Amino acid sequence: MIIDIHAHAAGDYSTVDSIKNMASKYNVEKIVLCTSPKNMQNLKEPPSMPFKQKPDSIYMMNRMNRMAYNHFFKDNGDGNRFVWNLKNQLPEVVIQFLWVNPLDTGHMNNLENNIRTYQPKGIKLHQAWSPFKIDGVEFKNLVDIASFNKLPIFIHLYSKKEVLKLVHFIRGNPNAVFIIGHMTGTDIFSESGVNLKNVYFDTSSSKRIQSSDIKQAIDIFGYEHIVFGTDTPYASIDEQIERIEQLKLSDNIKEHIYSLNAKRILALD
């Protein structure tokens, strides 16, 4: 069984029927779902980039994504409520992560109330969409609230500079739990010397991450710190599974990456 720890309520995960179909087709036990950008539900996998991508390509892509988000995406209502409605209809499959912009006073003023209302299993932050800084007071306030409520933070990091800031932040806040989207900055984390006991790395990406990158992360951080995600609809679930299968890992290691690590992080029975 698979727990997809990184997905958006769009495309194949935008309706009750499509979620059921995906769960059945790919043997997905649970889907950790957050809103798509500005609650757009008709998103599709993006076209291939006209250059060979590397793990560090995400920093350039972040700049492109921020421009698109600010200038081309239209607001489509409350994405957190949309995900909550899907969860209520499929409570056995959908797990909600609350999408938060730390710079939005509305989000922050209502954060604790929204945690009580939506009962999320985690918080989702995206620096390409929300230009908060890791060393900003807004981020620290959010982490304090998340930690108090025992919620992990899934974060999409924007730049190498922000990765370095997060390393410094973790050093001073070792009890906060972070899931790093797209394995961003693994080279920086591996060289930091910081205790990463509460840090996990999500395997999802489009063409940027290869099986060899996942294997390297397993060797450096341990398979207990790698979690499977698809970033649906931005990447193909078939491709994400194939990357893991190509590694010829033991059944025990695959089970941890596909589901057991996520169950531990999310405190699932």
Side-chain angles (χ1 to χ4, degrees):
M1 298 294 284
I2 289 173
I3 294 179
D4 183 352
I5 206 164
H6 183 188
H8 299 270
D12 288 329
Y13 287 161
S14 61
T15 69
V16 169
D17 287 341
S18 64
I19 292 171
K20 285 181 178 179
N21 289 339
M22 290 290 285
S24 175
K25 180 178 180 179
Y26 292 101
N27 202 25
V28 176
E29 179 182 4
K30 304 283 186 184
I31 299 164
V32 176
L33 207 59
C34 70
T35 181
S36 62
K38 297 189 178 180
N39 198 27
M40 297 174 63
Q41 286 130 50
N42 61 346
L43 294 174
K44 303 184 186 306
E45 184 179 351
S48 299
M49 301 300 290
F51 55 85
K52 184 177 181 179
Q53 297 187 53
K54 301 180 293 183
D56 278 2
S57 299
I58 193 168
Y59 302 125
M60 180 186 66
M61 294 167 67
N62 281 338
R63 294 194 292 271
M64 298 167 59
N65 286 335
R66 183 173 288 182
M67 180 181 296
Y69 184 83
N70 289 329
H71 299 288
F72 301 109
F73 288 5
K74 295 181 179 179
D75 197 306
N76 293 275
D78 188 344
N80 285 323
R81 181 162 290 275
F82 181 75
V83 174
W84 183 69
N85 286 331
L86 289 173
K87 180 183 72 170
N88 286 340
Q89 295 175 81
L90 287 173
E92 72 282 4
V93 177
V94 174
I95 294 172
Q96 182 171 12
F97 268 31
L98 194 69
W99 181 288
V100 179
N101 174 5
L103 300 179
D104 187 321
T105 56
H107 280 200
M108 294 304 295
N109 290 341
N110 293 295
L111 180 55
E112 292 184 271
N113 181 61
N114 284 339
I115 289 172
R116 289 190 295 270
T117 299
Y118 295 121
Q119 295 290 299
K121 284 289 189 178
I123 303 293
K124 175 66 182 289
L125 303 178
H126 202 303
Q127 283 192 304
W129 314 128
S130 310
F132 64 91
K133 304 297 184 184
I134 299 297
D135 55 357
V137 65
E138 299 88 357
F139 179 74
K140 180 63 166 66
N141 289 341
L142 185 144
V143 173
D144 287 345
I145 293 172
S147 297
F148 177 81
N149 288 278
K150 296 181 170 54
L151 297 176
I153 296 171
F154 192 112
I155 185 166
H156 180 122
L157 290 158
Y158 184 73
S159 65
K160 287 186 177 182
K161 185 176 181 180
E162 292 299 304
V163 174
L164 288 165
K165 289 180 183 179
L166 184 58
V167 167
H168 179 75
F169 185 93
I170 291 168
R171 183 178 283 113
N173 299 268
N175 294 322
V177 178
F178 291 99
I179 305 166
I180 311 300
H182 313 301
M183 297 174 61
T184 301
T186 51
D187 54 337
I188 296 173
F189 281 102
S190 67
E191 296 168 0
S192 69
V194 171
N195 187 333
L196 301 175
K197 67 175 183 176
N198 290 323
V199 178
Y200 303 86
F201 299 89
D202 148 57
T203 62
S204 71
S205 80
S206 50
K207 305 292 184 182
R208 190 179 57 81
I209 292 175
Q210 302 300 318
S211 295
S212 58
D213 299 308
I214 297 174
K215 180 60 166 61
Q216 185 178 46
I218 292 171
D219 292 341
I220 293 172
F221 305 109
Y223 65 83
E224 302 92 340
H225 290 264
I226 310 300
V227 288
F228 178 79
T230 65
D231 198 19
T232 299
Y234 289 108
S236 161
I237 187 171
D238 296 281
E239 185 176 8
Q240 313 305 308
I241 293 172
E242 179 61 22
R243 284 182 191 146
I244 304 296
E245 295 302 318
Q246 285 178 354
L247 293 175
K248 307 299 181 183
L249 301 169
S250 71
D251 290 341
N252 177 60
I253 292 177
K254 286 197 295 184
E255 186 178 15
H256 275 79
I257 292 173
Y258 279 136
S259 65
L260 294 184
N261 294 337
K263 287 184 177 180
R264 186 177 70 254
I265 298 167
L266 303 176
L268 301 178
D269 294 333

